[in-house]
Amino acid sequence: MRRGLGIAICLGILAITGGVLVTSASGQPAIHLVFGPVEDMRTAFIDHHRNGLRLGDHIASRGPLLDESQTERVGTAYQQCLVHKRIVDPDQGLWNCNYLLKLENGEIVLQGLDPRGPGEYQMAVLGGTGAYSGASGDATFTDIGNDPSAYTDIVIRLGG
C-alpha cells in the first residue's frame, strides 16, 4: 500500500512539474518585429541568365528591423532567398528564404518557403546566439503591400 502511494505521489509531482515546464515554454511572449519598409532596404537580384527570376536565381537584402509600432529601430535583418518557382509580378512564384535577425541581445535564424506577394506564411526558427542561443519555434510572416512602403510583419514564437 505504501509503495503504491509513493509511486502515485512521484507521478503526481512529475505531472505537476511537466505541466509547469510546458506552460512556461508555451507561455513565453512572442517577439513582434517589422522588416522594412522596402524603400529603406538594400537589395540585390541575381538573375543568372537575364531571363527573369527563375529556378536558381536569388535575392539578397538587408534592412531595418523595427518594433511592432514601427517607431523604434531594434535591429537589422539579413535575407537571402532562392527561387523555387518562377517569380512573376505581382504575386506568383515561390522563394526559399533564410533570415538572420540581428537584435540587441543576440541573433535569430529563420528559414522557410515564401510565396510571392502579400499574404501570410510560416517559417521555422533554426537557432540563435546570445539571449537566443538554442532557440527553436516558429514565426509567422505577413507581407503587407507591394509598393515602396511595403513591409513584412514578423511574429516569432520561441519554444522551450
Side-chain angles (χ1 to χ4, degrees):
M1 179 76 168
R2 283 191 144 166
R3 182 172 176 222
L5 182 59
I7 291 173
I9 290 171
C10 287
L11 289 175
I13 290 171
L14 285 173
I16 291 168
T17 305
V20 170
L21 293 175
V22 170
T23 301
S24 296
S26 64
Q28 291 182 344
I31 301 169
H32 195 154
L33 304 167
V34 173
F35 179 36
V38 171
E39 60 197 3
D40 293 341
M41 296 168 41
R42 300 269 310 181
T43 303
F45 290 92
I46 293 82
D47 180 355
H48 293 290
H49 300 289
R50 301 192 193 324
N51 61 351
L53 295 174
R54 297 174 184 266
L55 187 63
D57 293 335
H58 56 279
I59 182 176
S61 64
R62 73 173 181 269
L65 277 175
L66 306 173
D67 65 355
E68 180 180 3
S69 66
Q70 300 183 35
T71 57
E72 184 179 338
R73 184 170 181 161
V74 295
T76 303
Y78 301 88
Q79 170 194 42
Q80 182 177 17
C81 298
L82 179 68
V83 175
H84 275 264
K85 184 177 178 187
R86 183 175 176 216
I87 303 300
V88 180
D89 283 327
D91 60 1
Q92 292 180 351
L94 184 65
W95 299 101
N96 182 347
C97 296
N98 296 295
Y99 284 82
L100 183 136
L101 309 180
K102 186 175 174 97
L103 303 166
E104 182 179 338
N105 295 323
E107 299 171 351
I108 300 173
V109 177
L110 307 166
Q111 195 275 329
L113 295 176
D114 174 357
R116 172 78 174 159
E120 185 177 290
Y121 50 96
Q122 304 293 312
M123 291 204 179
V125 175
L126 298 183
T129 65
Y132 310 106
S133 179
S136 64
D138 64 3
T140 300
F141 282 62
T142 306
D143 291 333
I144 300 170
N146 57 8
D147 58 16
S149 63
Y151 61 92
T152 301
D153 188 75
I154 305 169
V155 177
I156 303 168
R157 293 165 301 282
L158 298 175

